[in-house]
Amino acid sequence: DGGADHFYRCVIAVREKTGATTEVLTPDFVHCKPSLERVIEARPDVFNHNMETVSRLYSAVRPQAKYERSLELLRRSKEQGLNTKTGIMVGIGETDDEVTGLMQDLIDYTRTDNGSCDILTIGQYLQPTRNHLPVNRWVDPSQFLAFKQLGESMGIRHVESGPMVRSSYHAEDQVLQIEEPIR
């Protein structure tokens, strides 16, 4: 089930024992609807599935994944009333226009009666090993600020954008930046 039952049990246990806000970072479950539904059933405060990169680079960066499948997963989670979140790394070969296109896709393809993707994180790609893709460019901090301003002006409720930003960066603050978490 791609770990769906484990996600479910963890969210329920954390909520019962501590009352803490929960965020899950899931795989795409390769179109396994029952797995996604199991995670949604736990009602995490934030449902996160990272896009990682722009459409053109998906086959190089995420060869087992599909761009459209990731968007669909976020849409289905949003459709069920969850706060949704995704993240990307820049500096891996994308253009600024492609990042803008990804933001537009997040708005257009995840839109439901409950809104569209709520939170986007954008950070600098760092090559973890020699076997991974090299860094293509170092994105200027002013461009990270421009991404934040553009994404929020387009309708993404909160964009966390900076060279050191990662998916979990300031996660508590991110959820506080959007409406009260939906349970």
Side-chain angles (χ1 to χ4, degrees), residues 90-93 124-127 132-139:
V90 292
I92 199 166
Q124 172 67 52
Y125 171 71
L126 301 172
Q127 183 180 15
H132 289 81
L133 294 169
V135 173
N136 175 271
R137 68 176 171 146
W138 297 103
V139 178

Side-chain angles (χ1 to χ4, degrees), residues 77-173:
S77 302
K78 191 66 193 170
E79 191 172 61
Q80 296 302 312
L82 296 179
N83 290 314
T84 55
K85 174 179 173 181
T86 193
I88 64 168
M89 294 279 109
V90 292
I92 199 166
E94 75 295 322
T95 66
D96 292 347
D97 286 342
E98 287 175 312
V99 174
T100 301
L102 179 140
M103 288 190 261
Q104 191 63 57
D105 288 346
L106 284 174
I107 293 163
D108 293 344
Y109 295 109
T110 69
R111 185 177 314 283
T112 72
D113 290 343
N114 296 314
S116 57
C117 188
D118 300 292
I119 301 170
L120 170 63
T121 61
I122 305 173
Q124 172 67 52
Y125 171 71
L126 301 172
Q127 183 180 15
T129 72
R130 290 182 198 159
N131 297 329
H132 289 81
L133 294 169
V135 173
N136 175 271
R137 68 176 171 146
W138 297 103
V139 178
D140 189 87
S142 64
Q143 184 57 50
F144 282 105
L145 178 59
F147 286 146
K148 175 180 178 55
Q149 292 169 338
L150 178 62
E152 289 178 354
S153 73
M154 293 170 72
I156 299 171
R157 292 169 60 197
H158 182 71
V159 178
E160 190 79 40
S161 181
M164 300 305 292
V165 169
R166 297 297 179 261
S167 181
S168 60
Y169 187 83
H170 293 162
E172 181 180 12
D173 294 337

Side-chain angles (χ1 to χ4, degrees), residues 8-29:
Y8 173 88
R9 288 184 284 118
C10 286
V11 170
I12 298 301
V14 166
R15 186 174 294 127
E16 287 175 354
K17 297 209 183 286
T18 70
T21 300
T22 56
E23 175 178 324
V24 294
L25 175 58
T26 73
D28 66 9
F29 299 119

Side-chain angles (χ1 to χ4, degrees), residues 33-73:
K33 285 184 180 183
S35 294
L36 176 59
E37 289 167 6
R38 182 68 170 156
V39 176
I40 290 170
E41 183 183 343
R43 307 301 297 169
D45 295 288
V46 177
F47 181 92
N48 185 354
H49 171 71
N50 286 335
M51 298 287 296
E52 305 293 354
T53 192
V54 299
S55 179
R56 178 178 58 85
L57 297 175
Y58 241 60
S59 62
V61 175
R62 302 188 70 204
Q64 293 85 19
K66 300 238 182 293
Y67 185 82
E68 295 77 14
R69 187 166 60 215
S70 289
L71 287 169
E72 174 66 13
L73 186 80

